[in-house]
Amino acid sequence: MLTHILGYPRIGSHRELKKASERYWSGKSSLKDLLSAGHTIRQQNWQLQKQAGLDLITSNDFSFYDQVLDMSLAVSAIPERYHPILLDKKGNAELDLYFAMARGYQKDGLDITAMEMTKWFDTNYHYIVPEFHKDQQFKLFSTKVIDEFVEAKNAGILTKPVLIGPVSFLLLGKEKENGFDRLDLVKNLLPVYLEILARLEKLGAEWVQFDEPFLAMDLSDKAKATYSVVYKEIKKAFPQLKSILATYFEGLRDNLDLAVSLPACALHVDLVRYPEQLDEVLAALPAKTSLSLGLVDGRNIWKNDYAKSLDFIEKAFKKLGKDRVFIASSCSLLHSPCDLNLETNEQILLPEIKDWMAFAKQKLNEVVTLKQLAQPETKESAAHLLAANQHSIASRKSSNRIHKTPVKDRVASITPADESRKSPFGVRQQKQKAALNLPLFPTTSIGSFPQTDEVRGWRARWKKGELTDAHYQQLLEDETAKAVRWQEELGIDVPVHGEFERNDMVEYFGEQLDGYVFSQNGWVQSYGSRCVKPPIIYGDVSRPQPMTVHWSAFAQSLTEKPMKGMLTGPVTILQWSFVRDDQPRRDTCTQIALAIRDEVSDLERAGIRIIQIDEPAIREGLPLRRTDWEGYLQWAVRAFRISSTGVEDETQIHTHMCYSEFNDIIQSIAEMDTDVITIETSRSQMELLDAFVNFSFPSEIGPGVYDIHSPRVPSSEEMLDLLKKALKVLPARNLWVNPDCGLKTRKWPETDLAMRNMIQAAKELRAIVESVVV
Ligand SMILES: Nc1nc2c(c(=O)[nH]1)N[C@@H](CNc1ccc(C(=O)N[C@@H](CCC(=O)N[C@@H](CCC(=O)N[C@@H](CCC(=O)O)C(=O)O)C(=O)O)C(=O)O)cc1)CN2
Ligand SMILES: [Zn+2]
């Protein structure tokens, strides 16, 4: 019986990697410093796994930005536009090329856009999308996976390197032109994988983990056939190398026959997400294959219920025998915060509730303890751990902090009238045009403005008690007033207050809702150096008092323009929190929806005429298997409608979504019945608009014209081009002009330049359209 995890968080328990990367990017430290920060984190992670007593220790789970981008660099899937970065030998290192692909490059007379970024399955982690071309050739370029294996070996640890499997790598990418299928590139790609494996084997690697999450997704026949070919070839070339084929985030379901037919030493299944699959997997597993049981939840912070896990292990033992069973985390711990022991403030995280939790470091111990409890020879000595665990599990089940009758009663008494606006969109649009009197192509932003070190510093000092409430409030009001004046000067039609008071668009709301607790250090990587600290829902959720009204009303008092109120929607609050697992997600979501509904009413009452309810995570929450979509969409759309429909026709409801891949769910998005939707589209050159060609979307739309994830400043010409593209498929009266998303990660100088260019593009578009009309 072997224990392992599929990967460990790489940000460092105090976000050391984030800090080191940002220092490097801003020119404040050398490449050597950054490389050394990476080295330290890897060593620490290996030592942690070793000390915990795991049998297999993972390598190549470290990444300076993203593990998919690492794979692109490994196989030289480097789009041509980046070639000048290395070719002109400006002293750039491989890592500079890598960061250019991730973040764009505007230096030395070069101006190169970043690669596209999208969500990693249904998580809040983002990966960099590989770009593929017809007949693309691959070759070994970055040797990171090999270097890190050697690095660990030199430290006395023979690791299990993890690679994104070739089929998943191809499926994760995108065809940059028509006329080919990226799966056909496998014949060019596979030799590079074989070369990597040859090098690893030569260096003494015994185990390799291939992450093939797509094996648990809906697959085409062609993808299935590709799987068979690829893993047969790998087995043929390396009959001695032991491979673990890792699936996660879903069940194998209809791919079970395929999965068990692939020649791997071990198959890993996610029993947290899809526990139902154990019996059929056990029944189908070939005689020599081992099964890695993904029992410890990599996606949530609740303690593992050992009694429940031991039942699974027992079942697997009976069928397979002890030697063919592995105990593991359900997926990589990348999605877990690092260390619960760092949560020492009992006012912030009550000890009673903390006792219900486990972060990544604790999960290592859980995996190892489960093995001890499963083996007769160690069972006795670990018995006290089982007892303590069952005590925590029982304490959570019986706690009186969790269930609140008034919240449950209110959910039960929701009526159909609580789920619709008073009039249909056409009527509302007329009334709103009259009430708001906005120009054609109104300009706006998505809500946040730069969260400077200064603003974050005020909050940090306030939290430490070094600033009084009044002083902190005053500083934020000054910053808000400055932002309102700046927007007036630029001539933005629908200003926002800037969200300076928010640490994060979800954590901020969590902090004001009952039923939530927080960590001080529970950071999880979102993309690159950016992290989030998901708040934790442990009980029934309700809103004790208004959450945003002060800020919106204050900002509105400074301008005649309609100030846009800014809320996060129920699905996104759910999706970006750690969620209780003792009731269906939909029930928790409905509770949040009612809290937001009350906030919307309070904003309207305070004179706010435009309210944006952000739902960037509605797409990411979509089940990974199509057969499950409808059920989810039904409750998610209902929750949004409960939150947004308690207003007069004249009040304009906006929503905002990032990540434009929702062509398939456009009908459901229409059913959200908002007045305006702003969406991320610029990195994909307005590809999203394809959906509108076939589907006449009922409401007004702001397709993002500027990529806010990159420090690059777009010109007004390129934004005008995107707007013209949008006008081909959208009626002029419905088109808004805005960036892709909020600007909190940007600096003020680039924000000022880019927003001025954007306003200029809107003006030019108005002039063009007016000249045509006249
Ligand atoms: N939850 C969530 N998910 C999301 C998004 C989102 O906005 N929120 N957006 C998309 C992803 N985009 C993102 C964009 C930006 C950041 C981001 O800026 N994160 C910040 C942290 C934000 C935060 O919580 N800030 C806190 C804490 C800041 C902090 O680091 N404080 C220091 C002290 C600071 C000081 O002394 O000056 C500390 O705790 O050590 C605050 O402002 O109060 C970061 O990585 O730096 C994250 C995700 C999708 N998923
Ligand atoms: Zn966004």
Side-chain angles (χ1 to χ4, degrees):
M1 187 180 4
L2 295 178
T3 50
H4 70 130
I5 53 161
L6 300 197
Y8 198 77
R10 57 214 175 202
I11 52 173
S13 51
H14 292 283
R15 291 182 298 161
E16 291 86 347
L17 186 61
K18 168 201 176 60
K19 292 168 193 165
S21 314
E22 291 178 358
R23 269 200 303 275
Y24 176 65
W25 294 336
S26 67
K28 288 187 196 128
S29 72
S30 66
L31 181 65
K32 195 164 151 262
D33 295 335
L34 177 59
L35 293 173
S36 142
H39 173 82
T40 306
I41 291 173
R42 289 191 294 273
Q43 297 289 337
Q44 282 168 353
N45 289 354
W46 291 327
Q47 289 307 326
L48 272 177
Q49 293 174 65
K50 189 175 168 179
Q51 281 153 18
L54 290 175
D55 298 307
L56 300 178
I57 294 175
T58 308
S59 64
N60 203 40
D61 51 349
F62 176 82
S63 176
F64 277 109
Y65 204 97
D66 163 47
Q67 71 273 11
V68 182
L69 183 59
D70 292 348
M71 204 66 234
S72 292
L73 215 68
V75 301
S76 194
I78 302 166
E80 232 171 81
R81 62 185 183 281
Y82 303 105
H83 292 187
I85 295 176
L86 278 186
L87 292 182
D88 67 358
K89 296 271 179 253
K90 289 191 157 57
N92 283 316
E94 180 183 302
L95 207 52
D96 295 314
L97 166 68
Y98 175 83
F99 287 140
M101 290 163 73
R103 310 178 65 236
Y105 191 89
Q106 222 168 16
K107 218 168 81 180
D108 311 327
L110 294 171
D111 183 359
I112 312 175
T113 56
M115 290 173 78
E116 221 179 297
M117 184 164 80
T118 198
K119 287 281 165 124
W120 178 246
F121 301 91
D122 58 354
T123 74
N124 194 4
Y125 175 77
H126 307 59
Y127 74 94
I128 301 286
V129 181
E131 296 183 15
F132 294 126
H133 295 277
K134 189 168 172 14
D135 300 324
Q136 186 166 343
Q137 301 296 314
F138 302 93
K139 61 173 194 290
L140 182 57
F141 180 74
S142 164
T143 53
K144 169 180 176 289
V145 49
I146 297 149
D147 303 341
E148 290 181 10
F149 180 79
V150 171
E151 187 185 43
K153 197 174 149 194
N154 290 340
I157 297 177
L158 197 70
T159 57
K160 165 200 70 173
V162 51
L163 288 166
I164 295 183
V167 186
S168 287
F169 177 65
L170 288 172
L171 291 175
L172 285 164
K174 198 159 162 181
E175 286 132 17
K176 296 303 280 185
E177 71 248 353
N178 291 331
F180 78 107
D181 181 335
R182 60 194 186 280
L183 283 170
D184 290 332
L185 297 175
V186 74
K187 57 181 187 307
N188 298 348
L189 178 65
L190 194 55
V192 187
Y193 272 81
L194 297 180
E195 188 179 346
I196 293 172
L197 295 173
R199 294 235 206 152
L200 286 170
E201 190 177 52
K202 199 159 162 232
L203 288 161
E206 291 173 5
W207 287 95
V208 174
Q209 172 184 321
F210 294 103
D211 275 6
E212 285 286 8
F214 277 97
L215 260 185
M217 310 296 148
D218 295 325
L219 286 177
S220 66
D221 289 343
K222 179 157 183 169
K224 289 182 184 172
T226 310
Y227 266 115
S228 298
V229 172
V230 161
Y231 285 93
K232 261 186 213 120
E233 292 277 324
I234 290 178
K235 184 74 193 172
K236 205 170 87 197
F238 302 97
Q240 302 305 320
L241 197 63
K242 295 185 230 170
S243 56
I244 302 177
L245 210 52
T247 69
Y248 40 83
F249 303 153
E250 248 301 337
L252 292 172
R253 297 164 75 166
D254 55 330
N255 299 332
L256 175 63
D257 289 345
L258 169 68
V260 298
S261 78
L262 302 175
C265 261
L267 178 65
H268 173 90
V269 290
D270 184 339
L271 295 175
V272 174
R273 184 56 76 86
Y274 211 78
E276 308 87 303
Q277 66 184 324
L278 182 61
D279 288 332
E280 22 176 66
V281 176
L282 286 174
L285 209 65
K288 289 218 167 67
T289 312
S290 297
L291 187 64
S292 167
L293 309 175
L295 291 167
V296 171
D297 194 350
R299 298 273 303 264
N300 214 332
I301 45 72
W302 305 112
K303 259 187 192 166
N304 186 265
D305 181 345
Y306 288 168
K308 237 165 101 182
S309 295
L310 286 168
D311 286 346
F312 282 97
I313 298 170
E314 181 88 355
K315 216 176 215 178
F317 269 13
K318 280 211 179 109
K319 185 83 191 179
L320 308 178
K322 194 170 116 180
D323 291 342
R324 284 169 62 207
V325 176
F326 296 6
I327 298 175
S329 58
S330 62
C331 58
S332 168
L333 301 182
L334 173 66
H335 312 287
S336 302
C338 289
D339 186 2
L340 186 64
N341 292 337
L342 299 177
E343 304 303 320
T344 48
N345 187 330
E346 301 193 347
Q347 260 81 53
I348 293 182
L349 187 54
L350 289 177
E352 180 190 343
I353 299 181
K354 181 177 165 188
D355 179 57
W356 305 339
M357 299 177 184
F359 291 2
K361 190 172 165 200
Q362 290 67 43
K363 287 172 193 286
L364 300 178
N365 296 329
E366 291 190 334
V367 170
V368 173
T369 303
L370 283 172
K371 172 174 171 177
Q372 291 168 347
L373 290 169
Q375 297 186 129
E377 60 274 25
T378 45
K379 198 171 160 178
E380 282 300 294
S381 60
H384 65 288
L385 297 173
L386 175 61
N389 172 271
Q390 291 303 289
H391 184 268
S392 305
I393 301 290
S395 135
R396 181 168 164 219
K397 276 202 182 117
S398 62
S399 170
N400 59 13
R401 293 181 184 280
I402 292 173
H403 301 284
K404 304 285 172 223
T405 311
V407 178
K408 292 195 205 299
D409 289 350
R410 185 157 177 224
V411 166
S413 63
I414 296 170
T415 66
D418 298 333
E419 295 171 33
S420 350
R421 295 289 295 265
K422 297 191 166 68
S423 308
F425 171 71
V427 175
R428 302 195 309 261
Q429 188 177 35
Q430 293 306 320
K431 292 191 187 175
Q432 289 164 17
K433 291 251 184 238
L436 295 168
N437 196 23
L438 294 169
L440 195 60
F441 315 128
T443 52
T444 191
S445 69
I446 306 303
S448 58
F449 285 128
Q451 282 269 339
T452 55
D453 290 345
E454 199 183 19
V455 170
R456 290 202 163 140
W458 298 334
R459 184 155 42 250
R461 281 162 59 202
W462 169 65
K463 289 206 166 168
K464 281 188 214 139
E466 293 167 17
L467 282 185
T468 62
D469 291 355
H471 191 180
Y472 176 58
Q473 176 107 350
Q474 187 59 52
L475 290 165
L476 290 174
E477 284 181 2
D478 293 348
E479 191 74 8
T480 306
K482 245 198 291 186
V484 174
R485 280 198 301 274
W486 170 75
Q487 292 172 87
E488 293 236 289
E489 190 232 312
L490 261 66
I492 292 187
D493 301 307
V494 176
V496 296
H497 74 279
E499 301 180 29
F500 303 109
E501 75 288 1
R502 301 184 188 177
N503 45 5
D504 173 76
M505 59 183 288
V506 166
E507 198 182 8
Y508 178 75
F509 287 93
E511 284 175 349
Q512 304 189 67
L513 291 167
D514 285 346
Y516 265 98
V517 285
F518 313 91
S519 64
Q520 289 168 277
N521 242 298
W523 296 100
V524 179
Q525 187 179 18
S526 182
Y527 70 90
S529 71
R530 295 290 171 177
C531 300
V532 295
K533 186 146 62 59
I536 300 160
I537 305 175
Y538 69 92
D540 287 337
V541 175
S542 60
R543 184 194 78 139
Q545 63 208 14
M547 303 185 283
T548 64
V549 176
H550 169 77
W551 294 109
S552 291
F554 169 73
Q556 181 66 84
S557 75
L558 304 174
T559 175
E560 295 297 315
K561 300 249 171 88
M563 177 60 54
K564 183 161 67 169
M566 196 59 54
L567 301 174
T568 305
V571 183
T572 298
I573 292 185
L574 180 86
Q575 194 67 23
W576 291 351
S577 300
F578 287 121
V579 179
R580 56 194 283 199
D581 54 2
D582 61 347
Q583 73 178 17
R585 291 170 72 83
R586 80 168 71 112
D587 296 351
T588 306
C589 193
T590 313
Q591 295 176 355
I592 303 168
L594 287 170
I596 300 298
R597 180 182 179 86
D598 293 347
E599 186 71 14
V600 168
S601 298
D602 284 342
L603 281 171
E604 187 182 51
R605 216 167 293 134
I608 303 300
R609 294 174 287 161
I610 303 184
I611 301 170
Q612 177 174 310
I613 307 173
D614 293 323
E615 281 293 18
I618 206 158
R619 173 68 180 77
E620 136 197 347
L622 198 65
L624 296 167
R625 297 292 200 126
R626 239 171 218 270
T627 51
D628 306 328
W629 280 15
E630 209 180 298
Y632 162 82
L633 286 168
Q634 197 256 328
W635 64 255
V637 170
R638 175 172 180 262
F640 183 84
R641 291 176 63 126
I642 290 170
S643 73
S644 61
T645 54
V647 289
E648 297 303 322
D649 287 345
E650 286 76 6
T651 299
Q652 187 171 65
I653 298 288
H654 291 218
T655 191
H656 160 73
M657 295 178 192
C658 327
Y659 322 105
S660 52
E661 288 167 25
F662 37 62
N663 295 14
D664 317 320
I665 60 163
I666 194 108
Q667 180 67 45
S668 300
I669 291 172
E671 282 163 16
M672 290 164 68
D673 197 23
T674 55
D675 301 308
V676 183
I677 171 171
T678 55
I679 18 186
E680 172 179 326
T681 45
S682 80
R683 265 199 198 189
S684 64
Q685 297 294 308
M686 300 255 155
E687 220 171 60
L688 165 86
L689 293 172
D690 295 350
F692 298 106
V693 178
N694 305 318
F695 181 87
S696 82
F697 197 73
S699 74
E700 300 178 19
I701 302 169
V705 291
Y706 130 45
D707 171 18
I708 57 85
H709 289 109
S710 163
R712 186 179 167 272
V713 174
S715 67
S716 66
E717 292 77 28
E718 69 185 88
M719 291 190 268
L720 184 61
D721 278 349
L722 291 176
L723 286 167
K724 286 183 187 161
K725 248 178 161 175
L727 260 193
K728 291 205 173 109
V729 290
L730 301 174
R733 67 172 185 288
N734 284 355
L735 183 63
W736 285 65
V737 177
N738 48 264
D740 268 346
C741 186
L743 294 158
K744 62 185 166 206
T745 59
R746 302 277 51 93
K747 306 252 184 285
W748 271 115
E750 71 216 29
T751 299
D752 180 68
L753 288 173
M755 287 299 282
R756 279 177 203 276
N757 289 352
M758 189 192 87
I759 307 263
Q760 181 59 26
K763 283 191 183 143
E764 284 169 25
L765 190 68
R766 278 176 207 145
I768 293 169
V769 170
E770 274 150 24
S771 73
V772 172
V773 174
V774 173

